[in-house]
Every structure is written in structure tokens, then in C-alpha cells.
Amino acid sequence: MADFSKICSDFHGIRDDFNENVQDSFGKSINNEILDEIEGLILQTMEIENNQKQMSLLEINNLLMEAKSLVPEL
């Protein structure tokens, strides 16, 4: 699985640089309409990734519990 925390961090840096140089309403609209949407997609992807990791951990724990029930010495 990918790690989107680096992507999110890089995006925030790029967005901050962009916003420091924005001097008109067109640039502000890019930030509000496009960059906000991109950030939302990145955050959604991070949430999906985290949910998949949690599901994998639950599956592993279930398999371990099953194995322990079959072989009590584990």
C-alpha cells in the first residue's frame, strides 16, 4: 500500500508556495476551487488507505485467534 502522508505534506508545501504568490482573484479562485478539491481527494485517499490497513490488521488478528484455537501452544 502507498503512503499518502508524504504526498499530502508535499501538496501543502506547494499550495502554501502558490498562495504566497497569489495576488489576484483568479489565483484565489484556483486555490478555492481546484486546490481545495485536490486536497479533499488526497485526504479521502488517505482515509481509504487507513481503513484498508485496519481491515488487514483485523484479518490478521482473526487468523491468529483461529490458529491459537487450533494449536493452544501459540
Side-chain angles (χ1 to χ4, degrees), residues 7-52:
I7 294 170
C8 189
S9 175
D10 289 348
F11 173 79
H12 283 128
I14 291 167
R15 185 179 193 177
D16 290 345
D17 290 344
F18 176 81
N19 285 327
E20 286 177 11
N21 295 307
V22 168
Q23 298 180 1
D24 59 9
S25 60
F26 179 71
K28 290 178 184 177
S29 72
I30 289 173
N31 179 57
N32 294 333
E33 296 172 17
I34 297 172
L35 298 181
D36 277 349
E37 186 173 337
I38 292 171
E39 180 180 29
L41 292 171
I42 292 171
L43 293 174
Q44 286 176 350
T45 305
M46 288 176 67
E47 186 176 338
I48 290 168
E49 176 192 29
N50 288 335
N51 289 341
Q52 288 176 339

Side-chain angles (χ1 to χ4, degrees), residues 42-74:
I42 292 171
L43 293 174
Q44 286 176 350
T45 305
M46 288 176 67
E47 186 176 338
I48 290 168
E49 176 192 29
N50 288 335
N51 289 341
Q52 288 176 339
K53 285 179 182 177
Q54 289 177 352
M55 288 174 43
S56 293
L57 287 173
L58 286 172
E59 289 174 11
I60 291 168
N61 284 336
N62 287 338
L63 288 172
L64 182 58
M65 288 175 46
E66 184 179 342
K68 284 182 177 182
S69 72
L70 296 173
V71 184
E73 299 86 39
L74 291 178

